[in-house]
Amino acid sequence: MSITNTPTSNDACLSIVHSLMCHRQGGESETFAKRAIESLVKKLKEKKDELDSLITAITTNGAHPSKCVTIQRTLDGRLQVAGRKGFPHVIYARLWRWPDLHKNELKHVKYCQFAFDLKADNVCVNPYHYERVVSPGIVPQNLDPLTLPALPGTLMVKDEYEFENQPSHSSADGHHQTIQHQPSRPGGPQESFSSPALLPPPEGSSSASTSAFSSLAAGASSATSGWLRNGNFSPPVPHHQNGHLQHHQPMPNTPQYWLSHNEIAFQPPISNHPAPDYWCSIAYFEMDVQVGETFKVPASCPTVTVDGYVDPSGGDRFCLGQLSNVHRTEAIERARLHIGKGVQLECKGEGDVWVRCLSDHAVFVQSYYLDREAGRAPGDAVHKIYPSAYIKVFDLRQCHRQMQQQAATAQAAAAAQAAAVAGNIPGPGSVGGIAPAISLSAAAGIGVDDLRRLCILRMSFVKGWGPDYPRQSIKETPCWIEIHLHRALQLLDEVLHTMPIADPQPLD
């Protein structure tokens, strides 16, 4: 090794890896980081000039100009390290620059000749040949932003709080097929983004074997036509971002998304039943353990704040800081410190719900409404809501239509399945009626719990979960809440009374 203790391409791989490991940002485990760096150094051992460029870039934190550092592009563009696959330029940018980076946030510098999006045979993985940007708009996480046209008004994003291994970094994890929701800039021009066609729930896709079931499926299809559409979504509030779609608060005098589809602002109530005394109940969890009592929000308080302070809870404020847990770990304790002002939940109209992020750090939301608005299958994404963002996360009418459709689909599928098992539905491709029954089994398996999920919101503070995180479930996040929406649950009870769902019957 050289006198300056900075290795060169002539040094042993072990020495180079050790030196580069000292500059990692701490977002990944030591084992993963070491495997990734070892893999890269070995690939570059025969390209000494590029290896020296990598060493220079990393050990000087990009202070000195460096050349492209390239590896061969794989067929699917992704690199596998320690059993995990990811885009190579993103993997190394996370290791050495932004531990909370989302794959949709990188833009190459002009002088990079082998940037990922240039589609060359080789890919540059020099972290200092990329910049981190935030695109104000809705970008589904499963889309590679590098294949999309550049969006106007992109902003450089500064590092956000990341405390797991490096408390000095400021970051909020980015994203499970995460969708980012940023506030829009006050007074700035509103960008319009065309949202992709929204996907119907998979349950509605089952083919029917009888004319009755076919007609019902057609009815279910028309029932969902309200959200199977392309449209312009006007992003809304100030700005921030990261990885499950981006959402923004609608600006004053901006037509709301649902109004742009010929829905009127003031509609008659969905049900004549009196509204519940409490519009929602909120349970707080640390990992998979509920902490404290469930907090009920009275109908007289349409706005409730959930924060990390230690004041007594009551009425329109649920303070998580005063809740104790004998099993609380140090990691959970650190996360709780960053809940801060938390979030504000607001019930509008008969039961629509909006969220405002008051915290200095992002929150992550599971919302079927946002899934559909972003063109995702229900339950397929996590939504990252940035500080100051104010967005709608629940639409009561849409939820009601969805529960009616799923209940009808399950009921009809169960009937068709029973008939198929009895051999009463001969048809092309069927063998004694069994084949159609198998094709209907998924739809027939819809249960009450599946419908209840439509009436529930889940939200984690500071930390996200999903494919882009080490945490695959919200139950692995340090602090999160589950919000049960009582008006929606009341409507579900009515739906189940008019359209009871039998327990799924297994096939013989």
Side-chain angles (χ1 to χ4, degrees):
M1 188 172 295
S2 63
I3 293 177
T4 61
N5 289 327
T6 298
T8 70
S9 58
N10 294 319
D11 288 304
C13 285
L14 188 61
S15 298
I16 298 172
V17 170
H18 176 75
S19 175
L20 296 179
M21 281 285 287
C22 295
H23 294 272
R24 67 190 181 92
Q25 294 301 304
E28 297 284 2
S29 68
E30 183 175 351
T31 301
F32 178 86
K34 188 174 182 181
R35 292 278 292 276
I37 295 172
E38 283 177 346
S39 172
L40 180 58
V41 170
K42 288 177 181 177
K43 286 183 172 72
L44 297 175
K45 251 312 187 179
E46 301 304 318
K47 298 189 285 187
K48 293 184 179 297
D49 57 334
E50 293 188 19
L51 182 52
D52 282 326
S53 284
L54 175 69
I55 294 170
T56 298
I58 302 307
T59 57
T60 65
N61 294 323
H64 299 296
S66 54
K67 300 177 182 178
C68 285
V69 177
T70 62
I71 61 174
Q72 188 171 3
R73 181 186 293 271
T74 59
L75 288 176
D76 66 354
R78 296 185 297 169
L79 177 70
Q80 181 160 325
V81 177
R84 289 166 49 188
K85 273 196 167 188
F87 295 116
H89 62 310
V90 176
I91 290 175
Y92 294 107
R94 282 175 178 164
L95 279 180
W96 285 310
R97 294 195 71 183
W98 306 288
D100 62 320
L101 178 72
H102 178 242
K103 63 189 178 186
N104 288 0
E105 296 178 340
L106 285 182
K107 176 183 177 183
H108 70 275
V109 296
K110 292 182 180 180
Y111 53 81
C112 182
Q113 298 177 340
F114 296 93
F116 181 84
D117 54 325
L118 296 181
K119 306 299 182 185
D121 291 339
N122 291 324
V123 177
C124 179
V125 295
N126 185 337
Y128 292 94
H129 277 205
Y130 294 90
E131 296 173 341
R132 190 176 185 183
V133 297
V134 174
S135 299
I138 297 181
V139 182
Q141 173 150 8
N142 65 338
L143 296 181
D144 182 354
L146 301 175
T147 66
L148 300 177
L151 297 177
T154 54
L155 308 170
M156 294 302 298
V157 67
K158 64 180 182 180
D159 288 350
E160 300 163 334
Y161 177 74
E162 173 67 32
F163 61 78
E164 284 179 310
N165 292 308
Q166 192 155 344
S168 62
H169 274 70
S170 132
S171 96
D173 292 4
H175 311 309
H176 165 175
Q177 302 184 331
T178 301
I179 296 165
Q180 303 172 10
H181 303 245
Q182 298 174 248
S184 63
R185 285 162 291 183
Q190 288 295 301
E191 318 273 2
S192 288
F193 299 91
S194 179
S195 61
L198 300 177
L199 304 176
E203 295 83 5
S205 62
S206 301
S207 59
S209 300
T210 66
S211 59
F213 185 70
S214 298
S215 62
L216 183 141
S221 174
S222 64
T224 58
S225 63
W227 50 272
L228 292 173
R229 60 212 177 197
N230 287 322
N232 289 329
F233 175 79
S234 298
V237 196
H239 60 269
H240 252 78
Q241 143 178 27
N242 233 29
H244 306 203
L245 286 177
Q246 297 185 11
H247 300 246
H248 310 258
Q249 163 195 4
M251 297 296 286
N253 303 321
T254 299
Q256 302 297 329
Y257 179 80
W258 52 98
L259 294 183
S260 68
H261 293 283
N262 300 319
E263 294 181 27
I264 56 175
F266 301 102
Q267 298 175 324
I270 299 173
S271 169
N272 292 325
H273 280 75
D277 293 336
Y278 298 90
W279 72 265
C280 78
S281 55
I282 307 171
Y284 169 66
F285 293 82
E286 293 177 357
M287 307 295 279
D288 60 350
V289 177
Q290 181 174 348
V291 177
E293 299 292 326
T294 298
F295 182 80
K296 293 184 177 181
V297 183
S300 59
C301 298
T303 300
V304 60
T305 301
V306 182
D307 59 43
Y309 300 126
V310 296
D311 300 316
S313 298
D316 62 353
R317 189 177 177 197
F318 184 19
C319 296
L320 306 179
Q322 43 92 22
L323 299 177
S324 60
N325 177 10
V326 295
H327 302 295
R328 183 173 293 150
T329 65
E330 184 178 349
I332 293 174
E333 192 65 67
R334 287 201 302 271
R336 282 167 51 85
L337 293 175
H338 297 279
I339 296 174
K341 296 179 181 179
V343 296
Q344 189 176 73
L345 306 172
E346 184 177 0
C347 181
K348 291 187 175 184
E350 192 176 354
D352 295 350
V353 179
W354 290 67
V355 168
R356 187 188 301 277
C357 181
L358 303 176
S359 173
D360 291 335
H361 306 290
V363 294
F364 299 81
V365 178
Q366 189 176 64
S367 160
Y368 285 5
Y369 169 76
L370 289 178
D371 291 345
R372 294 188 183 91
E373 294 300 284
R376 302 298 293 272
D380 185 46
V382 178
H383 301 261
K384 183 172 184 178
I385 302 178
Y386 280 83
S388 301
Y390 175 61
I391 66 167
K392 185 178 184 179
V393 295
F394 181 81
D395 185 287
L396 185 66
R397 290 181 183 276
Q398 185 187 75
C399 176
H400 185 242
R401 287 195 299 267
Q402 184 64 12
M403 64 176 67
Q404 285 179 316
Q405 177 211 335
Q406 289 196 15
T409 301
Q411 189 179 52
Q417 184 187 58
V421 172
N424 294 335
I425 310 180
S430 67
V431 181
I434 298 302
I438 294 173
S439 69
L440 295 169
S441 59
I446 299 172
V448 175
D449 286 344
D450 298 292
L451 297 178
R452 281 181 60 85
R453 290 190 191 100
L454 299 173
C455 312
I456 295 172
L457 297 170
R458 285 177 162 185
M459 181 183 304
S460 70
F461 296 95
V462 184
K463 289 295 181 182
W465 76 96
D468 295 325
Y469 290 99
R471 299 166 293 276
Q472 296 306 301
S473 163
I474 194 172
K475 293 183 179 180
E476 297 174 35
T477 61
C479 39
W480 57 281
I481 55 176
E482 185 171 83
I483 304 149
H484 290 242
L485 303 172
H486 293 183
R487 183 59 167 175
L489 290 167
Q490 184 184 54
L491 295 177
L492 174 59
D493 190 54
E494 292 182 19
V495 169
L496 293 177
H497 273 91
T498 58
M499 207 180 299
I501 298 177
D503 292 330
Q505 298 298 317
L507 297 176
D508 293 331

